[in-house]
Amino acid sequence: QVQLVESGGGLVQPGGSLRLSCVASGTILRIIVMGWYRQAPGKERELVARITSGGSTNYKESVKGRFTISRDSAKNPMYLQMNSLKSEDTAVYYCYAQIREVTGAMSNYWGQGTQVTVSS
């Protein structure tokens, strides 16, 4: 089994910054992809950013230039640095990982979610 634990959410004023962290632990052989999704009230969950084991990144168009996803190594925390936050960034942010487990199985995991609220 694998666990994803997020931290770093909170309340911030428009234009402010937050950094989200996600730590993966458990029966991990290799992390293939990690990413952040978000879900606002009444809306579908959407991809915000993702990073592969090779370091390739993808971003939702509306966060490009404001958000940066990073990971130091295969099992260190993954981060999402969010700058110039806007009210429309308000949502529950979920960490996601596609993992090759020590059993050989390829599995997808989600964190419990962390609330980000951008408001004055």
Side-chain angles (χ1 to χ4, degrees), residues 3-7 21-25 34 75-78 95:
Q3 297 79 40
L4 301 180
V5 179
E6 304 125 329
S7 60
S21 301
C22 178
V23 178
S25 62
M34 288 190 84
K75 295 185 179 181
N76 277 349
M78 175 189 63
C95 176

Side-chain angles (χ1 to χ4, degrees), residues 14-34:
S17 299
L18 282 175
R19 190 178 78 159
L20 305 183
S21 301
C22 178
V23 178
S25 62
T27 55
I28 300 169
L29 179 64
R30 182 169 173 245
I31 297 175
I32 308 302
V33 177
M34 288 190 84

Side-chain angles (χ1 to χ4, degrees), residues 75-92:
K75 295 185 179 181
N76 277 349
M78 175 189 63
Y79 301 101
L80 183 68
Q81 178 66 42
M82 304 186 294
N83 299 327
S84 301
L85 282 160
K86 305 176 181 180
S87 58
E88 51 262 43
D89 296 317
T90 295
V92 178

Side-chain angles (χ1 to χ4, degrees), residues 4-116:
L4 301 180
V5 179
E6 304 125 329
S7 60
L11 173 65
V12 65
Q13 292 186 343
S17 299
L18 282 175
R19 190 178 78 159
L20 305 183
S21 301
C22 178
V23 178
S25 62
T27 55
I28 300 169
L29 179 64
R30 182 169 173 245
I31 297 175
I32 308 302
V33 177
M34 288 190 84
W36 292 94
Y37 284 71
R38 68 187 183 189
Q39 187 167 20
K43 295 188 177 181
E44 293 187 354
R45 191 173 295 191
E46 61 181 7
L47 175 67
V48 176
R50 65 193 288 270
I51 184 167
T52 69
S53 58
S56 298
T57 58
N58 298 95
Y59 293 93
K60 177 179 173 61
E61 190 65 33
S62 64
V63 308
K64 285 182 179 179
R66 299 189 298 122
F67 291 10
T68 303
I69 190 170
S70 62
R71 220 176 87 199
D72 290 334
S73 66
K75 295 185 179 181
N76 277 349
M78 175 189 63
Y79 301 101
L80 183 68
Q81 178 66 42
M82 304 186 294
N83 299 327
S84 301
L85 282 160
K86 305 176 181 180
S87 58
E88 51 262 43
D89 296 317
T90 295
V92 178
Y93 284 69
Y94 296 92
C95 176
Y96 161 83
Q98 185 180 63
I99 291 172
R100 175 77 68 185
E101 299 189 54
V102 295
T103 60
M106 183 81 82
S107 304
N108 299 321
Y109 289 93
W110 293 90
Q112 79 282 1
T114 185
Q115 178 71 46
V116 171

